[in-house]
Amino acid sequence: MGNTFEDSVSGGGLGDITTRAQLGWQEGEFAHTAYVQVVAPSGRYSVGFEPIIGLHRPGIDTGWAFTWTDKSSKLQFNGTAGFTFNFNNDATNYQSGTDFHFEWAVGREIYKGLVFGVVGYDYRQLTGDSGPGAVFGSFEGSVDAIGPGLTYTPLVGKTPLILNARYYQEFNTEHRWEGNMTIVSGTIRY
């Protein structure tokens, strides 16, 4: 007989609470959005408690997003560039460094409201982690990712419902776990 290991956890909590202010405007075929988002940790955190469903650190994310649509070819180019300024996690005495992130998508409308294309993201940590909890040093991470994306926007009455599915495969990873990710979301626009 081999050794047996058993572990269990119980409990619950909320993920992080985010508050966002944004300003959008249209210039010809370009739509722009500038934003500031504040992240407030509210989830339960203790050593050994899994899963941790939030970042559990306060932060401020600033950025600019754009969409360019060519109505004749039905091509769309989307991007969001931003900086996240992280603050100290008091539970671990760890402060993650400031990071730059760029998310992008290129797609074509193949049917009314249905856009298929390629999506990706790039992440670069610009300053090192710090604090007594940063026992492995500055640990500056980076990663790139690419994959297919699909968006469908049907009308529910007169209200657009935006359904989005993306799959990412990561590469060029440094000081982070590498893997893949699937994101599915729905947004009601009113």
Side-chain angles (χ1 to χ4, degrees), residues 29-31 64-70 74-81 101-109 115-122 145-152 162-168 183:
E29 295 179 331
F30 273 97
W64 168 68
F66 72 90
T67 298
W68 178 78
T69 305
D70 180 36
K74 301 193 180 208
L75 281 175
Q76 293 182 5
F77 297 89
N78 302 284
T80 301
H101 55 91
F102 178 62
E103 298 85 21
W104 56 270
V106 178
R108 184 172 187 277
E109 187 175 29
V115 177
F116 180 74
V118 179
V119 297
Y121 59 83
D122 306 287
I146 192 168
L150 181 70
T151 300
Y152 180 53
I162 303 165
L163 304 171
N164 189 284
R166 300 172 300 225
Y167 172 81
Y168 297 101
I183 299 174

Side-chain angles (χ1 to χ4, degrees), residues 1-152:
M1 289 274 189
N3 293 333
T4 302
F5 176 76
E6 185 176 316
D7 190 19
S8 65
V9 295
S10 64
L14 298 172
D16 300 327
I17 295 173
T18 58
T19 304
R20 183 175 175 131
Q22 63 185 32
L23 175 64
W25 66 97
Q26 183 88 27
E27 291 181 51
E29 295 179 331
F30 273 97
H32 304 269
T33 302
Y35 70 89
V36 174
Q37 180 171 281
V38 176
V39 178
S42 61
R44 174 183 175 183
Y45 178 86
S46 62
V47 175
F49 178 78
E50 301 287 342
I52 299 170
I53 58 174
L55 297 175
H56 200 73
R57 65 176 183 261
I60 297 175
D61 184 33
T62 61
W64 168 68
F66 72 90
T67 298
W68 178 78
T69 305
D70 180 36
K71 294 190 193 275
S72 62
S73 67
K74 301 193 180 208
L75 281 175
Q76 293 182 5
F77 297 89
N78 302 284
T80 301
F83 294 92
T84 304
F85 303 93
N86 296 296
F87 300 99
N88 192 56
N89 177 337
D90 292 331
T92 60
N93 292 317
Y94 195 98
Q95 182 168 342
S96 295
T98 298
D99 64 67
F100 169 77
H101 55 91
F102 178 62
E103 298 85 21
W104 56 270
V106 178
R108 184 172 187 277
E109 187 175 29
I110 56 176
Y111 181 76
K112 185 171 175 62
L114 181 64
V115 177
F116 180 74
V118 179
V119 297
Y121 59 83
D122 306 287
Y123 170 88
R124 300 291 181 269
Q125 189 173 334
L126 303 175
T127 61
D129 299 344
S130 61
V135 296
F136 296 111
S138 64
F139 214 62
E140 294 176 37
S142 64
V143 67
D144 300 306
I146 192 168
L150 181 70
T151 300
Y152 180 53

